[in-house]
């Protein structure tokens, strides 16, 4: 088996960290990329402790120069990347009439511009090897969510971005798919609970009561779905959006 090299963005914590650990367990060498290289070391140490190979990389995915340098560094120090998980994300929730230009730009820049820059910088290695797996994180909020006009636009955009990548890159042996989580227990949902003034445990219970499987999701639930799309076995699955939300969404 060829050892694939994967890059997971926003992998210092939450869904990204769980995904990095999962892809390493699947046999990949993993670049753990996040804003601060120091913050990536926990995930890298966990992977190394389990016998895997990982590299901590600090970069802002919305910055063209930092992205180019980060991807080149991965290629030089870990190997040429053919698996990319665009997971880095932020929220800046507010109702439309109160949303600032900066809150709109920050969210669109990290999710959409970040995924664009990372994918453009990485695709050349995939094309060279005639093999690639791209997984983009969308969200159930792509279907619309009060207070998230910026985030839902970005996460809906991730789905169109994914489908176009699938069309353009398919002839190079590259697939692109999107995973759209529902409520997952991470710092992101904890910060939402804090913003609306709810205890995080109560917030989770309220969310779980609305979900058909009657529980909230864990980062590992999302990593399991990403693992499939990132695998060799998923070569005939491209341009899809998979909701990982404990119930039907479309
Ligand atoms: P999280 O715990 O907040 O982790 C996000 C990570 O992305 C953080 O480590 C953050 O770094 C990093 N990041 C932010 N801006 C970045 C940038 N410009 N460049 C590089 N890294 C950056 O979030 P999560 O809940 O795991 O979410 C992961 C992804 O899943 C996001 O795309 C999110 O939108 C999506 N998602 C989450 C949920 C959910 O319920 N949690 C549901 C649907 C979709 P810092 O800590 O330094 O800011």
């Amino acid at each position: 088996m060829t050892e694939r090299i994967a890059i997971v963005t926003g992998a210092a914590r939450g869904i990204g960290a769980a995904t990095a650990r999962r892809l390493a367990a699947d046999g990949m060498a993993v670049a753990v990329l996040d804003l601060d290289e120091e913050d990536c070391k926990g995930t890298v140490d966990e992977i190394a402790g389990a016998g895997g190979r990982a590299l901590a990389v600090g970069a802002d995915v919305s910055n063209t120069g930092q992205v180019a340098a980060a991807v080149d560094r991965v290629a030089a120090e870990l190997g040429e990347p053919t698996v990319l998980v665009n997971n880095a994300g932020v929220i800046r929730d507010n109702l439309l009439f109160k949303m600032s230009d900066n809150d709109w730009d920050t969210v669109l820049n990290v999710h959409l511009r970040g995924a664009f820059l990372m994918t453009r910088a990485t695709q050349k290695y995939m094309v060279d090897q005639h093999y690639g797996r791209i997984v983009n994180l969308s969200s159930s909020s792509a279907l619309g969510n009060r207070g998230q006009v910026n985030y839902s636009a970005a996460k809906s955009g991730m789905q169109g971005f994914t489908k176009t990548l699938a069309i353009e890159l398919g002839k190079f042996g590259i697939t692109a798919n999107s995973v759209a989580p529902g409520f997952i227990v991470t710092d992101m949902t904890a910060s939402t609970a804090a913003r609306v003034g709810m205890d995080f445990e109560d917030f989770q219970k309220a969310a779980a009561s609305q979900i058909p499987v009657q529980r909230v999701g864990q980062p590992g639930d999302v990593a399991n779905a990403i693992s499939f799309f990132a695998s060799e076995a998923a070569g005939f699955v491209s341009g899809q959006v998979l909701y990982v939300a404990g119930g039907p969404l479309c």
Side-chain angles (χ1 to χ4, degrees):
M1 280 265 293
T2 314
E3 184 199 44
R4 302 292 182 191
I5 314 300
I7 301 176
V8 183
T9 71
R13 57 200 175 96
I15 293 167
T19 300
R21 291 192 298 268
R22 175 58 196 259
L23 297 187
D26 291 345
M28 299 180 200
V30 183
V32 176
L33 187 150
D34 211 295
L35 274 173
D36 184 346
E37 182 172 329
E38 202 55 39
D39 289 348
C40 299
K41 295 206 166 134
T43 311
V44 166
D45 288 348
E46 283 175 328
I47 291 171
R53 225 157 57 84
L55 175 72
V57 181
D60 176 349
V61 296
S62 67
N63 180 299
T64 307
Q66 290 184 30
V67 165
V71 173
D72 286 349
R73 191 180 150 212
V74 172
E77 294 184 30
L78 203 60
E80 298 193 353
T82 57
V83 176
L84 172 64
V85 181
N86 285 310
N87 167 82
V90 291
I91 47 174
R92 298 284 186 275
D93 297 351
N94 224 330
L95 293 173
L96 173 66
F97 78 101
K98 290 195 275 189
M99 185 166 290
S100 68
D101 293 11
N102 194 42
D103 287 346
W104 175 268
D105 290 344
T106 299
V107 168
L108 271 289
N109 276 340
V110 175
H111 294 272
L112 273 183
R113 181 181 162 84
F116 158 64
L117 293 177
M118 286 299 305
T119 306
R120 190 180 61 180
T122 309
Q123 57 81 32
K124 62 175 182 275
Y125 296 108
M126 301 184 186
V127 170
D128 283 351
Q129 296 184 46
H130 209 86
Y131 180 89
R133 299 280 182 266
I134 300 164
V135 185
N136 297 317
L137 269 289
S138 177
S139 167
S140 55
S141 295
L143 302 168
N145 198 24
R146 187 177 170 80
Q148 291 198 316
V149 72
N150 49 1
Y151 185 76
S152 66
K155 290 310 202 184
S156 178
M158 290 295 261
Q159 298 188 11
F161 176 67
T162 300
K163 288 173 194 291
T164 300
L165 292 177
I167 292 166
E168 286 191 17
L169 299 176
K171 66 181 173 191
F172 302 110
I174 301 167
T175 64
N177 290 287
S178 184
V179 171
F183 189 114
I184 309 297
V185 178
T186 68
D187 291 347
M188 188 177 273
T189 38
S191 73
T192 304
R195 186 177 61 80
V196 299
M198 271 182 86
D199 172 75
F200 192 33
E201 290 295 323
D202 293 340
F203 193 59
Q204 289 179 53
K205 278 190 197 127
S209 71
Q210 303 301 311
I211 297 171
V213 300
Q214 293 287 289
R215 70 169 177 89
V216 291
Q218 298 296 328
D221 290 315
V222 184
N224 289 339
I226 294 172
S227 167
F228 168 66
F229 284 134
S231 71
E232 308 257 356
F236 204 55
V237 182
S238 197
Q240 302 304 304
V241 179
L242 178 63
Y243 284 90
V244 178
L249 293 171
C250 60

